[in-house]
Amino acid sequence: MTIPVQPPEAGLTRPASLLQAARLPQWLLPPDWPQRELQPALADIGICGRRIVAVTPHRSADVEHPESRWQLHGALVTPCFVDAHTHLDKAYTSSRLHDAGPGLLAAIDAMAKDRSRWSTNDLRERMSRGLEAAWRNGTSHIRTHIDWAEGPEPPLAWHVIRELGQEWSSRLSVEQVSLVKLPVFADFERADRLAWHVASTGPSAILGAFVHSSNWNALALENLFRAAQRHGLDVDLHVDEELNPGACGLVTAARIVRETGFSGRVVCGHACSLAALDDDTASQVLDALSDLPFTLVALPTTNLMLQDAVTGRTPGRRGLTRVHEARARGIPVLFASDNVQDPFCRLGTFDLPEVMTVGTLVAQLPRPFDAWSDSICRSDWLGRGVPPKRAGLVGQPADLVVFPHSDCWSWPSNTAQRTVLRAGQRL
């Protein structure tokens, strides 16, 4: 979403269909949008062909006579969603793995035992199920991390998701990230070869790594960024996924980007260790990111399941990264599904309003519809360049989600029943 909300301009077609009296979130509206009882006025959304051609304050009088009209009576409407961090290769394996112990490293071990079952048919079936669920729930852009062994050659799942991404390209934008253990990048020639394979996949591929205190290697992280820069790749890291205040992946990544002038987008998932730092130290880390091309992705469901996990003891720490403090510094913050029905998280349905329900509670988010729903809608926060401060609908595909039974005070509650529009047509 990059174009300001505005009425039709010269050259834009008049609406052929109209969504009347929609309640859009405040972040999607211009500063001078009219208010009604301290709330944004309802909007009329004009659609022609497959795109939105006008967003204007609702008028009860009939001014134009489009071919079709849908009176929403104030129902909430958002753009379709971006699921910025998932694991389609692992999804729907929990029924096969009953003995995973508590915590992140135990889940990694359990997942490794299942990998022998990952045939082409198994991967296609489970990944397709995940894509179908995401699409029907209202997602239009999904990014999946793919486990990558220590060799430079891509794994089977990498090829399968590339094929599925092409098959789904008319419905979903599918991106794939190499999830590689950080020490693999310790040798630059090896790192460069791996980055070459990622770049050869095409523009939907991103270079990534698992960066944790258990495998920490500063030189390897530097080599990762050097290789990404050399091959024109963005970077997406699993970083500091632990409640260890000594974890230093995020702050080191910021130093490397600053010193090297890395030109791509750096997406950092988890960053749980920020929650273990004192306020002053956490502020220093976030200050170091604030003028760099970083995006943070918060993953409330998996982090709540894994962090501070000890058998027989109620966890005392939430493990969610500092989303309020990051946003206050202008750092883009997204929420995402992460693991779905696998050893890392036994729950989940690739449903982002469901994720936001958990995120709203655990992060105590104020005004989640008006102020925070952008954190599941702003796909431009994953791309290169400086994203606009305000987003809009005009000129964008008519991919929308209507929530007829929720309201701006209770959203994302009561969102299970929704209507998804793709290119202006209801699913």
Side-chain angles (χ1 to χ4, degrees), residues 352-388:
L352 283 161
E354 182 179 272
V355 172
M356 282 301 295
T357 299
V358 179
T360 297
L361 294 172
V362 70
Q364 300 177 0
L365 301 179
R367 302 172 60 238
F369 181 72
D370 278 316
W372 284 91
S373 60
D374 56 352
S375 64
I376 58 171
C377 296
R378 291 291 298 268
S379 59
D380 56 324
W381 285 348
L382 293 176
R384 292 196 169 204
V386 179

Side-chain angles (χ1 to χ4, degrees), residues 193-274:
R193 182 68 177 170
L194 197 156
W196 178 86
H197 278 294
V198 172
S200 298
T201 304
S204 64
I206 299 100
L207 188 64
F210 174 64
V211 182
H212 192 268
S213 63
S214 65
N215 70 5
W216 176 241
N217 187 316
L219 175 62
L221 191 58
E222 292 179 11
N223 286 342
L224 182 153
F225 277 100
R226 287 176 57 203
Q229 183 84 316
R230 174 174 157 81
H231 292 279
L233 293 167
D234 289 338
V235 168
D236 192 324
L237 302 174
H238 279 63
V239 64
D240 300 345
E241 189 180 352
E242 53 189 313
L243 290 172
N244 174 8
C248 57
L250 186 61
V251 70
T252 304
R255 176 184 60 78
I256 293 169
V257 169
R258 189 177 301 280
E259 291 177 355
T260 63
F262 179 71
S263 59
R265 171 65 51 178
V266 184
V267 176
C268 291
H270 297 289
C272 307
S273 64
L274 283 174

Side-chain angles (χ1 to χ4, degrees), residues 1-4 25-29 78-84 140-141 143 175 265 267 295-297 327 330-335 352 370-383 385-393 396:
M1 303 295 129
T2 59
I3 304 175
Q26 184 76 62
W27 62 266
L28 200 51
L29 300 168
T78 70
C80 280
F81 312 128
V82 52
D83 207 343
S140 60
H141 184 140
R143 177 177 287 194
E175 293 182 311
R265 171 65 51 178
V267 176
T295 296
L296 288 184
V297 183
R327 175 163 286 206
I331 300 169
V333 175
L334 295 168
F335 283 79
L352 283 161
D370 278 316
W372 284 91
S373 60
D374 56 352
S375 64
I376 58 171
C377 296
R378 291 291 298 268
S379 59
D380 56 324
W381 285 348
L382 293 176
V386 179
K389 291 185 178 181
R390 302 198 73 89
L393 289 176
Q396 299 294 323

